[in-house]
């Protein structure tokens, strides 16, 4: 039983990382209907920026987290302006292929700049104490991840529902022309969406580094794909769906591991993807309506 | 107030507006009538900056606005209630109205306008927190109008506000349009329901396949045989 709860806690920690990445996928999809396959690589870049902030600039965890988020926000906006904006009226498949190209460019660009060798993340920079609740030991890392993710998600909800830019984002994702008629600058709103989604991915990269203590240039691929599955699981384009989908996927993975299927762990996400596409293609939070043409 | 001079608008190689010119004076209700596909919505979209004319000019209060971005046009005082209402269905009535005031900074003025709009459309007040996608067609039309008014426009463009509404509701909507006009907002009303539109308008233009084919005082047009045959269902 304690074993099980332990795994559940691990699953939630991992899941909240998936959730942070999935939010970027889902927000960008919601507004430009593009699966930004380079999103996992923004997560990787975030992990490295956090790493260098700590090891080279000797910053603490929170300043490093903040720098990584800001840098990734800028990086995300650049990707959007340079690679995706010129294709906004192109076919979806053209944009998708471009996204895959951007992804490869970032991965191999990083390897070209700093080499392919992994780094050991300095996870001891925050004095973390583990907690024991009813005999279940929760590691300091887990608590940190949960706390950071929870805060970011609350901030995100606040931005999306209470601020002007958040309302503009929702308006543009619902109806671009109607949003323009309100005087909303659609280009800036799309950029803001990329900025926020990328900042969350950057944060996810830093906490991922703290948790797994190893980072490398291709580290974004698998978590990126899983976060994509999480976004689809929750209903792509739906923000609470991405949060729930991420957590659920993390927990499912942890439980499968606990049941002795740890070799099977990475495949679970894709089984989930196939099941959801067969039985509930709009996702758990999505309405099963056909898309307007 | 608004002067449209010989504009040509294309969708790719479809020539949708062919040398359209029209004038709107301060304080008027002008209606643009025409059959489905004549180019009415295209004209309104061009006025709002969603489409750029290939040639021709649009002058609003002395400023050339053809081809300017929608933001600037809203800022200058032209708002549109688009065809099919296009309310933000995923947001509440109140949030829709807030978005109408997106470019405004005068908090106090915005608050006053909220009250004015709730007075004009008491239904919206009752449903303030409701998701706008759950409103009836008539309520959505009211919301789309209220939302456009939140920008405090001097010229309001209305694209087929009566579309899909029950006759009684159409009457209410037209009364409200007149009321809005009386408070000083100039109106360009696009309609297929020519009878109703001509009954409240000062002047009218008739558009056919992208060209203005007739114009004049609303009463004169309602009396003209040709117009009656084509748009008012005979006799
Ligand atoms: N997005 C578009 N692409 C191509 N053609 C269009 C588009 N929108 C409208 N049209 C064409 O332009 C003409 C005028 O359309 P529209 O302005 O919507 O007419 P109305 O509002 O008077 O019914 C029609 O022939 C229509 O088929
Ligand atoms: Mg139309």
């Amino acid at each position: 039983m304690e074993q099980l709860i332990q795994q559940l806690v691990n699953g939630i920690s991992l899941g909240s990382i998936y959730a942070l990445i999935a939010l970027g996928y889902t927000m960008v999809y919601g507004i430009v209907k593009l699966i930004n396959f380079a999103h996992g690589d923004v997560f990787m870049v975030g992990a490295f920026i956090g790493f260098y902030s700590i090891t080279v600039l000797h910053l603490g965890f929170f300043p490093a987290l903040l720098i990584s988020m800001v840098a990734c926000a800028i990086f995300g906006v650049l990707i959007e302006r340079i690679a995706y904006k010129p294709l906004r009226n192109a076919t979806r498949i053209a944009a998708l292929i471009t996204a895959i190209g951007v992804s490869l460019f970032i991965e191999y660009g990083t390897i070209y700049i700093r080499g392919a060798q992994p780094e050991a993340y300095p996870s001891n920079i925050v004095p973390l104490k583990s907690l024991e609740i009813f005999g279940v030991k929760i590691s300091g890392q887990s608590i940190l991840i949960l706390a950071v993710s929870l805060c970011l998600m609350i901030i995100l909800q606040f931005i999306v529902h209470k601020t002007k830019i958040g309302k503009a984002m929702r308006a543009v994702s619902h109806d671009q022309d109607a949003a323009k008629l309100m005087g909303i600058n659609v280009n800036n709103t799309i950029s803001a969406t990329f900025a926020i989604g990328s900042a969350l991915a950057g944060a996810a990269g830093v906490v991922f580094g703290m948790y797994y203590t190893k980072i490398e240039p291709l580290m974004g691929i698998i978590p990126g794909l899983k976060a994509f599955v999480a976004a689809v699981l929750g209903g792509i384009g739906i923000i609470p769906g991405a949060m729930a989908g991420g957590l659920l996927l993390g927990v499912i993975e942890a439980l499968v591991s606990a049941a002795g299927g740890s070799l099977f762990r990475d495949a679970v996400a894709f089984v989930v993807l196939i099941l959801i596409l067969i039985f509930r293609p709009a996702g758990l939070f999505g309405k099963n309506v056909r898309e307007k043409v | 107030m608004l002067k449209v001079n010989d504009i040509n608008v294309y969708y790719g190689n479809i020539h949708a507006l062919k040398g359209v010119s029209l004038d709107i004076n301060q304080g008027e209700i002008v209606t643009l009538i025409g059959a489905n596909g004549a180019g009415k919505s295209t004209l309104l979209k061009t006025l709002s900056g969603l489409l750029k004319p290939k040639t021709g000019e649009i002058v609003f209060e002395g400023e050339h606005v053809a081809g300017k971005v929608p933001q600037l046009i809203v800022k200058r005082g032209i708002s549109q209630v688009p065809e099919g209402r296009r309310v933000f269905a995923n947001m509440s009535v109140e949030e829709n109205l807030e978005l109408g005031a997106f470019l405004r900074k005068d908090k106090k003025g915005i608050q006053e306008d909220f009250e004015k709009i709730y007075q004009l459309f008491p239904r919206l007040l009752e449903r303030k927190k409701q998701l706008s996608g759950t409103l009836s067609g008539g309520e959505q039309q009211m919301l789309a109008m209220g939302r456009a008014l939140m920008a405090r426009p001097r010229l309001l463009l209305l694209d087929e506000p009566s579309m899909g509404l029950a006759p009684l509701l159409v009457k209410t909507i037209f009364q409200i349009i007149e009321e809005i006009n009386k408070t000083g907002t100039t109106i360009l009303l696009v309609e297929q329901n020519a009878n109703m539109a001509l009954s409240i308008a000062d002047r009218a233009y008739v558009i056919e396949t992208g060209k203005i084919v007739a114009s004049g005082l609303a009463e004169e047009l309602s009396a003209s045989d040709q117009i009656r045959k084509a748009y008012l269902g005979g006799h």
Side-chain angles (χ1 to χ4, degrees), chain A residues 164 167 170 175 181 183, chain B residues 71 74 86 95 98 102 147:
Chain A
K164 218 165 169 172
K167 284 172 189 170
R170 283 190 289 151
D175 186 337
L181 290 177
Chain B
Q71 254 169 300
V74 175
R86 310 278 284 263
E95 285 175 319
E98 262 172 50
F102 192 79
R147 183 180 68 176

Side-chain angles (χ1 to χ4, degrees), chain B residues 9-206:
Chain B
V9 177
Y10 295 79
Y11 294 102
N13 49 22
I14 300 170
H15 196 176
L17 294 182
K18 302 164 186 158
V20 167
S21 300
L22 59 82
D23 289 284
I24 298 173
N25 303 315
Q26 177 92 44
E28 281 187 314
I29 298 183
V30 173
T31 182
L32 175 70
I33 55 183
N36 205 2
K40 305 180 298 296
S41 298
T42 303
L43 178 62
L44 290 200
K45 284 180 190 163
T46 309
L47 294 178
S48 282
L50 294 176
L51 296 171
K52 293 188 195 332
K54 200 166 209 174
T55 58
E57 27 174 49
I58 302 171
V59 183
F60 181 64
E61 297 185 328
E63 182 182 358
H64 287 269
V65 294
K68 291 275 160 56
V69 291
Q71 254 169 300
L72 181 120
I73 292 182
V74 175
K75 211 174 240 167
R76 290 295 178 270
I78 304 181
S79 284
Q80 185 182 151
V81 181
E83 183 176 317
R85 357 273 187 219
R86 310 278 284 263
V87 296
F88 300 108
N90 53 339
M91 298 167 97
S92 69
V93 166
E94 193 175 30
E95 285 175 319
N96 269 272
L97 294 177
E98 262 172 50
L99 281 169
F102 192 79
L103 291 174
R104 290 172 61 184
K105 305 262 185 293
D106 55 322
K107 281 217 169 86
K108 222 180 121 214
I110 293 174
Q111 207 47 53
E112 283 167 20
D113 284 1
F114 260 113
E115 273 153 39
K116 269 189 212 156
I117 281 157
Y118 286 141
Q119 235 162 39
L120 198 60
F121 306 105
R123 289 272 196 104
L124 296 184
L125 180 61
E126 290 163 30
R127 287 161 173 69
K128 174 163 133 166
K129 299 284 175 200
Q130 199 171 317
L131 281 186
S132 66
T134 65
L135 299 177
S136 72
E139 288 161 353
Q140 289 192 4
Q141 184 59 45
M142 294 175 190
L143 178 58
M145 288 165 69
R147 183 180 68 176
L149 289 173
M150 284 302 289
R152 237 182 228 194
R154 285 191 297 286
L155 173 61
L156 182 65
L157 313 175
L158 291 151
D159 198 345
E160 301 204 30
S162 73
M163 193 205 260
L165 300 185
L168 203 65
L169 209 51
V170 173
K171 226 170 145 186
T172 317
I173 294 286
F174 275 71
Q175 273 164 5
I176 292 170
I177 294 171
E178 282 188 293
E179 240 173 275
I180 294 169
N181 176 249
K182 283 199 187 96
T183 60
T185 311
T186 308
I187 283 169
L188 174 57
L189 169 66
V190 159
E191 266 298 344
Q192 282 192 54
N193 188 340
N195 260 322
M196 282 301 279
L198 288 170
S199 75
I200 66 164
D202 299 302
R203 287 187 309 115
Y205 289 86
V206 180

Side-chain angles (χ1 to χ4, degrees), chain A residues 39 83 184 188 210 219 247:
Chain A
H39 192 60
I184 293 170
N188 290 354
M210 302 288 290
M219 68 182 265
L247 288 172

Side-chain angles (χ1 to χ4, degrees), chain A residues 232-236 238-245 280 282-288:
Chain A
V232 174
L233 176 62
I236 190 118
I238 304 167
I239 288 176
M243 296 179 185
R280 205 175 154 80
L284 297 177
F285 285 50
K287 287 186 220 66
N288 269 319

